[in-house]
C-alpha cells in the first residue's frame, strides 16, 4: 500500500461568519436598555469655555542690500477663535458635551507686514431645546436647528511694531501681545422639544402607547417609574408629515415641589405644543387623575394646563375600564379617546385627532408669522 497525502482546504464560510458576527454586533448595539439610556441621557451639564488667545504682534525691521534702514515691518497678530454653541437636530442628549472647551489661538504676526492667521472657531453641538444659563440667568435659548450662540469670544490679536510707526518715532521697537480669550462658566439645560407630550401618572401606559404609535422602544414593565428619561417617537403620516410625541416620565402628587424628581420631569413638558393626558381607566374615579395632573402642571407654570389637549383613556380592554368610561366622559369637558395600547384597539382615532392638533398648531404658527417646528 502507498501513503496518500490529503490536502484539506480552509473552510469556505469565513466571510459568511464575519458578516453574521457583524450583524450580531449591530443588533446588540441597537438594543439599549433603560439602564443604559439613564446613563447616556444627560439633560444638565456645567461647561467652562475659554476663547482662544490672540496672537502677539510681530517685531522686525525691513533690511535688504542698499536699504539697511527700511523701517519696522512687524505685522499684527491674528485674533483668537470663539467657542460657539450650535443647535443640532441629530443630538438628543448633552452626554457628548465635555466639561471644558477652548478656542484655537491666533498666530503671531510675521515680518514684511504679514498678519498672523486668525484662530479657528470651536463649534460645540448641542440638542435643539438647550437652555444656556450663567449665574442662574438665561443668556440663550437654542430652539431652532442651526441656531448659534457665541459662548466665549476669542481675544484680539496684538499690534506689531509697524502699527506704532509715526513721524515722532520712525523706528518703534515695542509691540503688544495678544489679549486672552473670554472665560465663562455656563450651565446647559435640555428641555425636550416635541409636538405632543404624553402626561400621566406612573403605570398609566404612556410607554406602551408610544410603542404602539411609533417606532420608539422605551422600556415597559409592570412596576412604576419604568421610564426615567423622556423618549421621543415619530408618528409618520401618508403625506410625509411627521409628528413628534414625547413620553414624559410619570408624575406624582407634589411633583411641582420636586417630589419624585418632579421638576426634572416637568421641565420637559414646557416645550410641548399640545398635551395628551393618559389616564388609567381601570382605577376607581379616573377623572381624579386628570384633575391632579392639571393641578401639578398649573402649579409648576401658569397656563401650562391650558394648552390644547386630549384625554386618552387607556386599558379599555379591561372590564372595569368599560364601566368607568361613561363616568369619565360625564366628569370631563375635553374629548376622551378610549383605547388599549396593549391590544391596539381604537388607535386610529388617536392618530386622526393627533393630526388635527398638529394641523391646528401649524396654522396658528403661520398666522403669527413664525415657522412651526418640523421633524
Amino acid at each position: 500500500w502507498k501513503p496518500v497525502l490529503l490536502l484539506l482546504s480552509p473552510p469556505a464560510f469565513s466571510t459568511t461568519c464575519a458578516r453574521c458576527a457583524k450583524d450580531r454586533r449591530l443588533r446588540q448595539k441597537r438594543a439599549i436598555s433603560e439602564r443604559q439610556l439613564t446613563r447616556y441621557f444627560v439633560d444638565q451639564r456645567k461647561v467652562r469655555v475659554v476663547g482662544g488667545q490672540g496672537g502677539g504682534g510681530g517685531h522686525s525691521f525691513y533690511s535688504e542690500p542698499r536699504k539697511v534702514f527700511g523701517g519696522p515691518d512687524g505685522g499684527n497678530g491674528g485674533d483668537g477663535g470663539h467657542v460657539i454653541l450650535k443647535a443640532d437636530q441629530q443630538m438628543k442628549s448633552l452626554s457628548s458635551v465635555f466639561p471644558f472647551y477652548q478656542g484655537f489661538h491666533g498666530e503671531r504676526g510675521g515680518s514684511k507686514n504679514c498678519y498672523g492667521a486668525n484662530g479657528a472657531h470651536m463649534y460645540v453641538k448641542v440638542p435643539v431645546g438647550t437652555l444656556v444659563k450663567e449665574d442662574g440667568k438665561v443668556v440663550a435659548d437654542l430652539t431652532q436647528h442651526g441656531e448659534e450662540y457665541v459662548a466665549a469670544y476669542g481675544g484680539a490679536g496684538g499690534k506689531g511694531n509697524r502699527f506704532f510707526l509715526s513721524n515722532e518715532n520712525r523706528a518703534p521697537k515695542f509691540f503688544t501681545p495678544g489679549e486672552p480669550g473670554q472665560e465663562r462658566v455656563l450651565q446647559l439645560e435640555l428641555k425636550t422639544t416635541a409636538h405632543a407630550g404624553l402626561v400621566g401618572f406612573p403605570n398609566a401606559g404612556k410607554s406602551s402607547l408610544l410603542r404602539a404609535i411609533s417606532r420608539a422602544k422605551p422600556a415597559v414593565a409592570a412596576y412604576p417609574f419604568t421610564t426615567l428619561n423622556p423618549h421621543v417617537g415619530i408618528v409618520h403620516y401618508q403625506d410625509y408629515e411627521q409628528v413628534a410625541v414625547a413620553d414624559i416620565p410619570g408624575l406624582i402628587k407634589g411633583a411641582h415641589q420636586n417630589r419624585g424628581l418632579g421638576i426634572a420631569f416637568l421641565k420637559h413638558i414646557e416645550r410641548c405644543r399640545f398635551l395628551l393626558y393618559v389616564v388609567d381607566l381601570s382605577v376607581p374615579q379616573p377623572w381624579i387623575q386628570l384633575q391632579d395632573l392639571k393641578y401639578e402642571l398649573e402649579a409648576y407654570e401658569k397656563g401650562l394646563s391650558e394648552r390644547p389637549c386630549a384625554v386618552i383613556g387607556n386599558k379599555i380592554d379591561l372590564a372595569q375600564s368599560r364601566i368607568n368610561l361613561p363616568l369619565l366622559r360625564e366628569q370631563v369637558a375635553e374629548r376622551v379617546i378610549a383605547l388599549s395600547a396593549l391590544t391596539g384597539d381604537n388607535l386610529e382615532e388617536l392618530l386622526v385627532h393627533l393630526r388635527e392638533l398638529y394641523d391646528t398648531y401649524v396654522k396658528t404658527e403661520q398666522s403669527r408669522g413664525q415657522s412651526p417646528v418640523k421633524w
Side-chain angles (χ1 to χ4, degrees):
W1 57 275
K2 295 182 181 180
V4 178
L5 181 62
L6 298 178
L7 299 178
L8 300 177
S9 60
F13 55 83
S14 59
T15 305
T16 306
C17 290
R19 186 181 299 110
C20 294
K22 182 178 180 181
D23 295 341
R24 187 164 52 251
R25 289 195 301 269
L26 289 176
R27 287 195 298 269
Q28 293 175 355
K29 186 176 180 181
R30 294 193 192 101
I32 300 178
S33 64
E34 178 69 19
R35 181 175 296 180
Q36 290 174 321
L37 286 172
T38 303
R39 183 171 72 249
Y40 296 149
F41 184 84
V42 178
D43 57 0
Q44 289 185 351
R45 183 74 84 187
K46 185 177 181 180
V47 183
R48 186 168 74 95
V49 289
V50 180
Q53 184 173 357
H59 175 260
S60 63
F61 288 89
Y62 184 76
S63 178
E64 66 177 11
R66 302 196 188 115
K67 196 173 183 181
V68 181
F69 302 103
D73 65 347
N76 299 336
D79 298 333
H82 308 327
V83 179
I84 303 176
L85 303 178
K86 185 174 183 178
D88 190 350
Q89 199 170 6
Q90 300 298 325
M91 304 292 293
K92 302 302 179 183
S93 172
L94 294 174
S95 58
S96 60
V97 177
F98 295 108
F100 175 74
Y101 288 96
Q102 184 173 18
F104 295 96
H105 302 319
E107 294 185 2
R108 185 180 183 85
S111 58
K112 299 182 180 179
N113 297 325
C114 291
Y115 283 34
N118 296 331
H121 299 322
M122 172 72 69
Y123 284 91
V124 182
K125 292 183 178 181
V126 296
V128 176
T130 300
L131 207 64
V132 185
K133 296 182 179 180
E134 184 179 17
D135 298 332
K137 297 182 179 180
V138 179
V139 295
D141 190 2
L142 307 177
T143 58
Q144 298 292 334
H145 175 71
E147 192 174 359
E148 298 179 358
Y149 172 71
V150 181
Y153 287 93
K159 304 298 182 183
N161 62 340
R162 170 72 180 182
F163 179 81
F164 300 99
L165 177 64
S166 63
N167 292 330
E168 291 77 15
N169 187 2
R170 305 300 299 173
K173 297 182 179 180
F174 51 89
F175 57 95
T176 59
E179 297 181 0
Q182 185 183 14
E183 182 175 354
R184 303 171 68 184
V185 177
L186 303 175
Q187 294 83 30
L188 305 182
E189 182 178 330
L190 175 60
K191 295 183 179 180
T192 305
T193 302
H195 297 123
L198 297 176
V199 184
F201 284 100
N203 273 14
K206 301 183 298 299
S207 299
S208 301
L209 181 59
L210 187 64
R211 277 174 167 260
I213 63 176
S214 70
R215 297 180 182 178
K217 300 298 179 183
V220 176
Y223 54 85
F225 294 106
T226 309
T227 303
L228 298 178
N229 296 309
H231 296 267
V232 179
I234 307 300
V235 181
H236 298 269
Y237 289 91
Q238 293 183 353
D239 57 351
Y240 303 103
E241 282 288 351
Q242 299 179 357
V243 180
V245 181
D247 176 18
I248 309 299
L251 304 176
I252 63 174
K253 292 184 179 180
H256 68 279
Q257 299 175 351
N258 205 23
R259 292 181 182 176
L261 298 177
I263 299 299
F265 297 161
L266 283 168
K267 67 181 181 181
H268 292 286
I269 307 178
E270 296 182 36
R271 305 287 188 181
C272 298
R273 272 58 182 182
F274 41 90
L275 305 178
L276 302 177
Y277 296 101
V278 182
V279 179
D280 187 357
L281 285 177
S282 63
V283 301
Q285 297 181 342
W287 54 88
I288 301 297
Q289 293 187 10
L290 182 61
Q291 297 175 3
D292 294 338
L293 288 172
K294 289 189 174 182
Y295 172 77
E296 295 297 333
L297 296 182
E298 195 66 24
Y300 173 72
E301 181 182 338
K302 188 176 182 180
L304 188 58
S305 63
E306 299 176 358
R307 294 187 181 180
C309 65
V311 180
I312 300 174
N314 195 17
K315 304 181 183 180
I316 192 61
D317 53 309
L318 302 179
Q320 186 63 33
S321 300
R322 299 189 186 97
I323 300 175
N324 293 334
L325 178 59
L327 301 177
L328 176 62
R329 286 175 171 168
E330 292 178 1
Q331 298 289 335
V332 175
E334 293 84 356
R335 179 178 179 179
V336 178
I337 302 176
L339 53 82
S340 174
L342 180 62
T343 62
D345 295 340
N346 206 24
L347 287 178
E348 294 81 4
E349 184 180 355
L350 172 61
L351 295 176
V352 171
H353 186 61
L354 181 64
R355 181 58 188 270
E356 293 175 357
L357 292 173
Y358 173 76
D359 292 339
T360 304
Y361 156 71
V362 171
K363 293 179 181 178
T364 303
E365 292 295 315
Q366 292 177 350
S367 62
R368 296 176 180 174
Q370 300 177 359
S371 58
V373 177
K374 294 287 185 178
W375 280 76

